[in-house]
Amino acid sequence: MTAPMQPSAPRRVRVGARPVLERGLMVSRRSWLVVLSGFFEPLFYLLAMGYGLGGLVGEVTGAQGRPISYAAYIAPALLATSAMNGAVFDSTWNVFFKLRFARLYEAMLQTALGPVDVALGEILMALMRGLLYAMGFMAVAASLGLVTSWWALGMIPVALLIAFGFAALGMAATSYAKSFQQMDIVGFAVLPMFLFSSTLYPVEVFPEVVQWVVKALPLWHGIELMRQLAVGAVSWASAGHTAYFLAMSALGIWLTARRLRALFLR
Amino acid sequence: MTDLCELTRLADSGRLPPPAAVAARVRARGIWLYVETWLLASRTWVVSLLIVAVLEPIVYLLALGWGLGSLVDRQVGVADGVPYLVFVGPALIVATGVMAAHQESTYPVMAGFKWRRLFLAAQATPLMPRQIALGHLASVMCRYLAQATLFWLVLLAFGATRSAWSWLVVPITGLTAWAFGACVTAYAAGLEDEGYEFALLQRFVVMPMFLFAGTFFPLSELPAYLHWVGWISPIWHGTELARVASYGAPMTGAALALHLSVLLGYAAVGTIVTTRRFTRRLTR
Amino acid sequence: MPSDPIIRAQGLTKTYGEVHAVAGISFDIAAGESFGLLGPNGAGKSTTMRMIGGTLGRSGGHLAVAGLDPEVEGSTVRAHLGVVPQQDNLDEELSVRDNLYIYGRYFGLPRSYLRAKIPELLDFAQLSEKSSAKVDRLSGGMKRRLTIARALINEPRILLLDEPTTGLDPQARHTLWDKLFRLKEVGVTLVVTTHFMDEAEQLCDRLIVIDQGRIKAEGTPRGLIAEHSTREVVEVRFGADRNAQVEPRLRDLAERVEVLPDRLLLYTEDGEAVLEQIAAAGLHPVTSLVRRSSLEDVFLRLTGRSLVD
């Protein structure tokens, strides 16, 4: 004999971010060309800016204080930037589309998944791509002789850390956006960071006040960390840059979960 | 509750011209009616767009003209013999115009047919598919021109122009954006589903055009086997023209005519194909 | 017919490659009439509607709307029409009022006319209080009413309604039907496609039953029922496996018996009597029901299939 079925109290089953991640993987199996294409963007930048613009610029001072080629100067910065761009694209345009048109999240949140699972799943998906790109870029940069230290291997996990921070924050921002045109604003937050955070020229060309503003932005920390690793000039400052990204990631996750809950679980 | 008398007036107030007259008016002015409604609907996002359209050039010119410029200008005469700010400014207007064209010609077009179906709504009125197509192209042209005008004003404020004809960069940008945007719109109107085509277009067409087509450095800095990227890129043709207008970059009359014809050619082909595809998609 | 038909189709055909979406249908619709196209999904109803609006060319036959050929004079024909599409295509990012205004401008209607007209339409659609609300805040029924109000902006003589109440709850459907009745009262011609028999019965003076692009029957709802069905229907269920087994024993009790996957339908003039005979025969259905014949039964009779599958 078994006991009669008791009506159980409504209970949220924790299934974690895995189903969201699995869905992402299923989709990217179909879109391998897009996944592959992400690898070309930093490469195009490196070739165009490093060699095309490099002809106008000549040599610049590297992280160890020695002159290096313009391509070697921008390569670590481009890796950091591409980690940021990939993460922001995945967590903004991609997520915006799903939020507003495909209504994917509404469907997801009606299952046992919680908003945090959804957010983490999407972000993890972005990271797996980021890992592939970082490895590809490093292979190219190394073969062009643009990195000079074994520390440079550390640039790959750092790319993931940068991506995680931006993805978390980007997704939080997206959940507030309503139209295509508003999404441009998210893009607009990314652009100045790319342009000012010492990607293409040293921040020292600006007056001190501007320098402090730039140094408050996340991308600058990512780029500094990358440049230090590329030539092996690692110090306590490197640890500080890392801590910055850990804090940013936590903030992004918290905001996203809160907002998704407000949007769909009213 | 509405009584019968009010209802009769609702169905026929007697204040409307006969349907044939209504239709004749729409046939004559349909494109502009479409543009007018597009402008009206743009109220929901125009403020954020204008803010971006002013801040973006400031950011570009500060970062590239001033920041990057301070590196480039260490060597004299590398950028067409003018300060890097002056060199890169007109190119950036054209490039941002093309970026805007890419935005307006991809997802919003797909949305008009599929997600929001606003083209279909317009089609139930006397508007003809051709007018909806041309109306859409003309509407987004308003955005390109407004954006380019703001950019040009910022350029003036930075003292980055050298010619009284520098205002010509605005129509040049409009033409370049139309040329590129109409081609992309034609492409988007032919797509049944958005299977990442737009993302690929961005990565493999727009970005390379932007990076390798003379925006940041003269095309001649690249190895000769890459010059074709510039030749096929509307951005390069637009940029070369914008440089002539903005600081009087030297150019022969023949080159001028060539750049202009390439842009007009792209614009014409894009517009014709867009019109055809809109018509086919809305009437099949 | 009292006057010239406002819409006349003769041998209307639409072919996609080998597929005949509409395979030669003919009908006349009189001004002020409420005319229905009843049929399952894919029967060719929407295709016919789009040909009437001139947004789809035809492959053969003749078509005249208000005396004009929609394929040649599409824009003039559409100036006569109000179109309520199957899927709402309102601009969700704009307010209720702006949706009407913009649509009116697509017709090139004067601003002064629209300023006066919009409040009247909102009143009619019971949306006055929502005037400045964004469309994405409206319920399904409200969006549908707004779509109808929008279709009336040009004071059309003909209103084309493609599946007007699909996806709405019963309450919202009745509200909508009431609105459409009123329009008919003041002389607007309604052309309605539907796959709901109750909607066709409620709304249409006359209808055609379409299946696979062909007209199966034409008439008033009541006339069609009288012609193709009996007065009453007995629905009995014996459980999925037994329905077919029992059928031979019921065959003689009614004029006609239909076996559906989940139930048996017995067509008769007197349902109660048949029900008694079933019990007398020692058969005990799980459920039983006596009802009036409907257009669903007409459709089943004419095509051997259900309207809604």
Side-chain angles (χ1 to χ4, degrees):
Chain A
M1 285 294 289
T2 52
M5 287 277 285
Q6 292 290 328
S8 59
R11 184 169 63 95
R12 263 263 314 288
V13 191
R14 301 273 331 160
V15 289
R18 249 189 62 182
V20 184
L21 186 65
E22 278 173 19
R23 184 200 160 273
L25 283 174
M26 276 166 72
V27 173
S28 36
R29 267 207 298 273
R30 284 192 287 124
S31 62
W32 60 271
L33 193 58
V34 180
V35 174
L36 188 72
S37 78
F39 162 73
F40 286 93
E41 191 154 300
L43 205 62
F44 285 155
Y45 264 97
L46 183 63
L47 297 179
M49 296 307 203
Y51 298 101
L53 187 64
L56 301 191
V57 172
E59 286 197 328
V60 285
T61 313
Q64 283 173 318
R66 282 197 293 268
I68 53 175
S69 76
Y70 189 61
Y73 177 76
I74 64 170
L78 290 175
L79 179 55
T81 307
S82 94
M84 168 181 82
N85 280 338
V88 170
F89 180 83
D90 272 330
S91 64
T92 58
W93 276 104
N94 226 351
V95 170
F96 176 72
F97 176 76
K98 290 174 187 164
L99 266 178
R100 296 289 159 192
F101 290 104
R103 310 260 177 216
L104 185 71
Y105 292 148
E106 248 164 291
M108 279 187 182
L109 291 176
Q110 278 156 6
T111 67
L113 295 171
V116 182
D117 304 326
V118 171
L120 269 177
E122 287 293 347
I123 290 169
L124 287 178
M125 188 60 220
L127 288 188
M128 294 188 56
R129 272 205 220 182
L131 177 64
L132 290 176
Y133 298 161
M135 294 197 300
F137 186 83
M138 284 306 292
V140 173
S143 65
L144 291 171
L146 301 180
V147 296
T148 53
S149 157
W150 281 105
W151 277 103
L153 283 176
M155 290 165 76
I156 292 171
V158 166
L160 288 189
L161 181 62
I162 294 173
F164 190 83
F166 279 108
L169 216 55
M171 195 151 160
T174 302
S175 60
Y176 287 92
K178 291 222 163 54
S179 69
F180 287 118
Q181 283 82 4
Q182 281 179 347
M183 289 304 299
D184 292 350
I185 297 184
V186 175
F188 190 67
V190 171
L191 183 75
M193 248 192 293
F194 166 61
L195 290 171
F196 286 110
S197 299
S198 76
T199 320
L200 299 173
Y201 51 89
V203 68
E204 285 74 24
V205 305
F206 292 125
E208 195 148 352
V209 188
V210 181
Q211 287 187 34
W212 282 113
V213 176
V214 170
K215 287 176 180 176
L217 298 173
L219 186 59
W220 181 80
H221 292 272
I223 289 175
E224 281 299 294
L225 188 51
M226 287 287 194
R227 284 204 170 120
Q228 289 159 0
L229 290 169
V231 293
V234 179
S235 66
W236 278 110
S238 317
H241 298 315
T242 311
Y244 185 104
F245 270 94
L246 291 175
M248 177 168 148
S249 309
L251 176 71
I253 293 284
W254 178 74
L255 273 176
T256 304
R258 216 177 72 129
R259 174 68 179 162
L260 284 183
R261 216 171 269 135
L263 273 180
F264 299 122
L265 299 176
R266 287 186 283 225
Chain B
M1 270 283 107
T2 331
D3 66 17
L4 204 63
C5 184
E6 277 179 43
L7 207 59
T8 311
R9 214 181 59 215
L10 189 77
D12 186 8
S13 63
R15 286 167 48 222
L16 274 187
V22 167
R25 192 175 142 85
V26 174
R27 274 199 297 273
R29 306 189 41 220
I31 297 172
W32 309 116
L33 291 171
Y34 189 93
V35 172
E36 181 206 313
T37 62
W38 188 88
L39 289 173
L40 194 80
S42 73
R43 276 187 314 194
T44 51
W45 48 263
V46 73
V47 175
S48 58
L49 184 82
L50 289 181
I51 293 172
V52 170
V54 173
L55 291 181
E56 197 173 52
I58 295 176
V59 165
Y60 270 134
L61 293 178
L62 282 179
L64 299 172
W66 182 17
L68 184 59
S70 63
L71 275 193
V72 176
D73 292 338
R74 294 180 309 181
Q75 310 183 49
V76 179
V78 284
D80 230 357
V82 290
Y84 193 64
L85 173 71
V86 176
F87 173 78
V88 86
L92 289 173
I93 297 196
V94 173
T96 47
V98 168
M99 301 285 180
H102 179 251
Q103 280 169 13
E104 291 291 353
S105 311
T106 51
Y107 293 96
V109 172
M110 188 56 96
F113 284 115
K114 218 181 143 180
W115 301 320
R116 295 171 67 199
R117 295 186 296 278
L118 297 183
F119 295 150
L120 275 65
Q123 194 214 7
T125 71
L127 284 172
M128 313 294 269
R130 176 177 46 83
Q131 293 175 316
I132 298 173
L134 295 175
H136 177 78
L137 292 178
S139 301
V140 292
M141 184 69 164
C142 297
R143 174 186 163 178
Y144 309 151
L145 290 176
Q147 210 174 320
T149 306
L150 289 171
F151 203 134
W152 172 67
L153 290 173
V154 173
L155 210 58
L156 283 186
F158 271 73
T161 60
R162 291 282 183 277
S163 154
W165 293 96
S166 70
W167 59 271
L168 278 172
V169 297
V170 175
I172 290 169
T173 301
L175 174 62
T176 312
W178 180 299
F180 178 76
C183 292
V184 176
T185 303
Y187 175 67
L191 287 179
E192 292 301 323
D193 290 298
E194 205 289 284
Y196 309 100
E197 281 86 351
F198 297 152
L200 291 175
L201 194 68
Q202 164 77 19
R203 288 216 166 111
F204 288 119
V205 179
V206 183
M207 281 320 285
M209 267 182 5
F210 177 61
L211 289 171
F212 293 95
T215 310
F216 298 103
F217 46 87
L219 202 56
S220 54
E221 287 294 322
L222 286 178
Y225 60 83
L226 279 179
H227 287 183
W228 62 271
V229 180
W231 297 338
I232 62 165
S233 163
I235 296 189
W236 182 65
H237 296 283
T239 299
E240 291 297 294
L241 290 174
R243 287 194 168 124
V244 176
S246 183
Y247 62 84
M251 184 180 287
T252 63
L256 202 99
L258 186 69
H259 289 308
L260 208 56
S261 347
V262 170
L263 290 177
L264 288 170
Y266 272 118
V269 169
T271 305
I272 291 167
V273 178
T274 294
T275 310
R276 279 212 193 134
R277 292 213 164 147
F278 267 60
T279 305
R280 199 171 58 203
R281 187 150 185 181
L282 288 172
T283 57
R284 63 167 181 214
Chain C
M1 210 144 281
S3 59
D4 273 350
I6 195 157
I7 299 178
R8 163 165 278 180
Q10 285 171 320
L12 191 59
T13 306
K14 180 68 192 179
T15 318
Y16 292 101
E18 296 291 297
V19 184
H20 296 280
V22 175
I25 64 175
S26 305
F27 56 84
D28 281 346
I29 303 175
E33 192 179 22
S34 172
F35 186 82
L37 288 79
L38 178 72
N41 291 328
K45 296 169 297 178
S46 299
T47 308
T48 306
M49 291 291 239
R50 292 194 53 208
M51 286 192 281
I52 293 174
T55 58
L56 185 64
R58 57 181 182 271
S59 315
H62 294 280
L63 184 62
V65 180
L68 304 167
D69 181 343
E71 206 171 326
V72 181
E73 295 178 87
S75 62
T76 312
V77 165
R78 287 193 294 278
H80 280 276
L81 298 179
V83 178
V84 178
Q86 194 167 345
Q87 282 178 300
D88 282 323
N89 50 26
L90 299 160
D91 193 331
E92 306 249 331
E93 285 173 23
L94 296 182
S95 69
V96 166
R97 192 194 309 115
D98 286 349
N99 263 278
L100 295 179
Y101 182 81
I102 282 186
Y103 205 71
R105 291 299 290 164
Y106 281 158
F107 284 86
L109 303 178
R111 291 182 188 82
S112 59
Y113 165 83
L114 290 172
R115 267 196 296 275
K117 189 75 181 177
I118 288 169
E120 290 174 19
L121 286 170
L122 289 178
D123 184 43
F124 170 73
Q126 289 168 273
L127 288 169
S128 300
E129 283 163 23
K130 299 278 175 190
S131 172
S132 42
K134 259 196 178 183
V135 168
D136 61 5
R137 294 271 156 216
L138 302 186
S139 70
M142 288 176 180
K143 281 184 192 169
R144 225 51 198 143
R145 294 207 301 274
L146 178 58
T147 305
I148 291 177
R150 190 182 70 171
L152 295 172
I153 195 91
N154 57 321
E155 301 183 351
R157 294 165 65 195
I158 308 165
L159 199 54
L160 301 184
L161 300 131
D162 199 355
E163 304 276 354
T165 66
T166 298
L168 298 187
D169 62 61
Q171 173 77 38
R173 299 179 77 198
H174 281 282
T175 315
L176 212 68
W177 287 338
D178 172 59
K179 298 291 167 206
L180 295 175
F181 268 132
R182 287 161 182 276
L183 290 171
K184 191 174 113 55
E185 276 179 75
V186 294
V188 177
T189 308
L190 303 181
V191 184
V192 186
T193 76
T194 183
H195 65 273
F196 294 119
M197 51 171 183
D198 58 341
E199 185 160 81
E201 282 172 19
Q202 290 265 350
L203 274 182
C204 303
D205 301 330
R206 214 158 54 82
L207 52 91
I208 50 177
V209 179
I210 311 185
D211 187 43
Q212 295 176 336
R214 289 173 202 284
I215 296 181
K216 294 287 172 183
E218 176 173 358
T220 63
R222 198 183 285 188
L224 284 170
I225 291 167
E227 190 180 338
H228 299 283
S229 191
T230 54
R231 205 170 71 94
E232 293 189 332
V233 188
V234 181
E235 292 195 8
V236 283
R237 287 166 213 263
F238 290 92
D241 305 333
R242 293 194 56 216
N243 286 338
Q245 288 173 17
V246 172
E247 192 262 345
R249 298 177 60 187
L250 297 177
R251 207 175 286 158
D252 298 333
L253 302 183
E255 286 180 29
R256 192 162 61 85
V257 179
E258 291 278 354
V259 187
L260 299 184
D262 62 331
R263 62 194 195 275
L264 289 164
L265 303 179
L266 288 79
Y267 290 92
T268 178
E269 291 304 312
D270 186 349
E272 289 301 331
V274 169
L275 212 50
E276 279 168 29
Q277 286 171 303
I278 294 174
L283 291 168
H284 300 287
V286 183
T287 62
S288 61
L289 162 79
V290 177
R291 61 168 174 81
R292 290 276 189 153
S293 267
S294 70
L295 287 171
E296 176 83 51
D297 301 299
V298 173
F299 190 79
L300 190 63
R301 178 67 195 270
L302 291 171
T303 67
R305 293 182 298 113
S306 302
L307 268 173
V308 188
D309 26 45

